[in-house]
Amino acid sequence: MTTAPDAGELRLLLPVPDEDGAPFWEYAARGELRVQACASCGRLRFPPRPCCPHCGSFDSEWRPMSGRGRIWSYVLPHPPLLPAYAAQAPYNVILVELADAPHIRLAGNLVSSADAPLDSVDPSRLRIGARVQVVFTETGGMAVPRWILEKP
């Protein structure tokens, strides 16, 4: 992980794309949520990797997802925290089970809007099973997926 200026010069951690995951971040920069799939057997996989764990093929493609899911789990980190995160506490970290691929779960934050701070959703609103939609925010030169509650 690297850090990037954010929230008034505080530095949040950023992902470090590797060769296998680089397409995920390239699609995110376009506002698209995509998941790696085996081009031979069709199984979706995350995190991205060079070889299919099901059939052993090295052929892959990136399939678009709807961006919808549900909160599978969450945590509210407690101090001690890195300074940039302590300034936004309490905030949440959620695991989202994708509607298109329930066996795939992505980590992120539930926010009130794409560019809102990490503490923009009251922790009392977090519910396992709550329906969410992906949004992307630019931070440190990267488009990072975050999640908002779906409108009923």
Side-chain angles (χ1 to χ4, degrees):
M1 290 262 178
T2 60
T3 58
D6 198 63
E9 294 303 315
L10 295 176
R11 298 180 72 73
L12 301 177
L13 296 175
L14 289 175
V16 178
D18 61 11
E19 184 178 338
D20 298 318
F24 177 86
W25 301 106
E26 291 166 11
Y27 287 115
R30 296 183 217 162
E32 297 178 41
L33 182 64
R34 292 195 180 220
V35 171
Q36 188 184 46
C38 177
S40 295
C41 74
R43 300 280 302 262
L44 296 172
R45 61 183 185 249
F46 197 89
R49 48 194 170 267
C51 179
C52 178
H54 305 286
C55 74
S57 172
F58 284 88
D59 297 325
S60 66
E61 59 191 15
W62 288 82
R63 294 204 186 140
M65 299 286 109
S66 67
R68 293 184 358 259
R70 67 178 194 91
I71 297 176
W72 188 79
S73 186
Y74 67 89
V75 65
L76 299 170
H78 294 279
L81 302 167
L82 295 173
Y85 293 91
Q88 295 189 61
Y91 65 93
N92 63 75
V93 178
I94 63 173
L95 278 180
V96 173
E97 177 181 75
L98 295 181
D100 312 73
H103 66 286
I104 293 179
R105 296 180 185 108
L106 302 178
N109 304 98
L110 184 67
V111 292
S112 60
S113 66
D115 294 322
L118 298 181
D119 63 352
S120 63
V121 172
D122 186 309
S124 68
R125 296 189 65 203
L126 293 168
R127 298 282 183 267
I128 301 295
R131 303 229 177 263
V132 294
Q133 176 72 42
V134 73
V135 292
F136 296 90
T137 189
E138 179 76 23
T139 184
M142 292 188 78
V144 177
R146 291 186 176 168
W147 303 88
I148 59 172
L149 291 169
E150 265 190 9
K151 307 275 191 265

